[in-house]
Amino acid sequence: AFAQNATDAIRCFASYVSTKLKKSIRKYRGAGVLAPPRHSLFESITIFAGVFLVMLALVGFNHCLGVLEPEFTYEGAWYASSICIIFALTAAPVGQPRQIFLAHTWCILVGFIFQQIPTGGFETMFDINKIPKVERVSGLPLTWKQAFSTAFGISGQAYLGIIHPPASSLAFIFASEPTWKFKNLLPILGGDVIMVIMSMIILNL
């Protein structure tokens, strides 16, 4: 009887492990969802031309802003992933104008809020012991601010239904760098307008 019970237990455990492995393999394969198909040579050339023109306009716009007001700018690199989605994954819901504008605004707002939380003079929790107790200031370590802001940025996009993956980095960036102010939202949205209008024109030629 003991041997039979032991055998049944082993079989049950083996079945459980086998089921878990099969599920893990299916998840690893993307649950049957295939990767985006290859584009034709002509489509790739169109993508190249569209990306080049839009990025050139964004960089030029940022340069003009920098001449007028050095702090009233953005980083052109922030738009690279968005442009990739717009031109290479045109039908993707996450690349629609509504998603772009709202996700950028949300993530910048989240990052700016976390930027206001003092770090206490240390980047990680391990740095606390390096500062004498009499000199310690209450605050949230920079690494925690970065992680919290990114988590809030992404989970908030999911809850609000405004997911645009490239925007997520803005929560991290604004929480990390005090040089980026809330007023930078305006030039960033200005860049969004340029990107969306130009891409719509190019894609509908």
Side-chain angles (χ1 to χ4, degrees), residues 29-30 32-40 43-44 47 84-94:
R29 292 175 177 173
V33 179
L34 301 178
R38 289 179 65 248
H39 290 275
S40 67
E43 289 172 334
S44 298
I47 292 171
C84 174
I85 292 175
I86 290 174
F87 282 96
L89 295 170
T90 307
V94 295

Side-chain angles (χ1 to χ4, degrees), residues 91-109:
V94 295
Q96 303 308 306
R98 172 183 177 275
Q99 308 297 106
I100 295 172
F101 289 114
L102 294 181
H104 278 175
T105 302
W106 165 254
C107 288
I108 289 173
L109 178 61

Side-chain angles (χ1 to χ4, degrees), residues 131-155:
I131 303 176
K133 291 185 178 180
V134 294
E135 298 179 9
R136 292 179 186 175
V137 180
S138 61
L140 192 65
L142 178 60
T143 52
W144 283 55
K145 288 173 58 175
Q146 293 168 333
F148 268 126
S149 62
T150 305
F152 268 100
I154 295 175
S155 60

Side-chain angles (χ1 to χ4, degrees), residues 52-63:
F52 173 77
L53 292 173
V54 173
M55 183 55 79
L56 187 63
L58 288 171
V59 174
F61 177 59
N62 188 47
H63 177 73

Side-chain angles (χ1 to χ4, degrees), residues 19-38:
T19 301
K20 285 293 183 181
L21 285 175
K22 289 178 181 178
K23 288 183 178 179
S24 297
I25 292 173
R26 285 199 295 270
K27 289 180 180 178
Y28 177 77
R29 292 175 177 173
V33 179
L34 301 178
R38 289 179 65 248

